[in-house]
């Protein structure tokens, strides 16, 4: 995983995501999820390309079920952009990098 990606837990979600000064792309994933493994290199590439403009975080839903439950996440991978502590954009499922970049450009 890229150094620019933060592993977030139920305990650190508020500080790392909701209180972040930068917009935050959060990847909700699990180790057993095939599409999650497919989107991981895309998320890592986004983290490197947008370093300094966008914070990128990952939440393992198996180990951190509380925040996923509070956000009503039913399918993974779910990627949510938080801006100013609020949900700005949600994306569900795998998508190629160019498509993800288009989704991000409208909110960051």
């Amino acid at each position: 995983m890229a150094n620019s990606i933060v592993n977030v837990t139920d305990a650190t979600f508020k500080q790392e995501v909701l209180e972040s000064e930068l917009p935050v792309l959060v990847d909700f994933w699990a180790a057993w999820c095939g599409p999650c493994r497919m989107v991981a290199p895309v998320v890592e590439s986004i983290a490197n390309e947008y370093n300094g403009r966008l914070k990128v975080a990952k939440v393992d839903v198996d180990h951190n079920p509380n925040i996923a439950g509070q956000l009503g996440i039913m399918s993974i991978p779910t990627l949510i952009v938080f801006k100013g502590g609020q949900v700005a954009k949600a994306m569900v499922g795998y998508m190629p990098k160019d498509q993800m970049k288009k989704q991000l450009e409208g909110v960051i």
Side-chain angles (χ1 to χ4, degrees):
M1 186 173 357
N3 292 337
S4 52
I5 297 179
V6 179
N7 279 308
V8 176
T9 66
D10 286 337
T12 63
F13 187 84
K14 182 178 182 221
Q15 176 186 356
E16 292 286 352
V17 176
L18 301 181
E19 296 175 352
S20 174
E21 292 186 16
L22 288 175
V24 185
L25 172 65
V26 183
D27 177 8
F28 292 90
W29 70 286
W32 50 264
C33 167
C36 297
R37 289 193 301 272
M38 289 172 53
V39 82
V42 175
V43 171
E44 190 167 318
S45 179
I46 294 285
N48 291 327
E49 188 171 329
Y50 286 76
N51 194 17
R53 292 194 311 151
L54 177 72
K55 184 176 186 178
V56 177
K58 292 180 77 82
V59 175
D60 183 334
V61 297
D62 285 340
H63 295 103
N64 302 283
N66 293 339
I67 195 63
Q70 289 171 12
L71 292 170
I73 293 171
M74 304 299 282
S75 300
I76 54 174
T78 291
L79 295 104
I80 300 178
V81 178
F82 290 85
K83 193 171 183 180
Q86 302 293 318
V87 173
K89 183 82 169 175
M91 302 165 272
V92 178
Y94 172 81
M95 69 180 63
K97 183 179 176 183
D98 60 338
Q99 186 178 347
M100 190 177 296
K101 285 176 69 171
K102 285 180 187 168
Q103 297 287 323
L104 292 173
E105 289 301 330
V107 293
I108 64 169

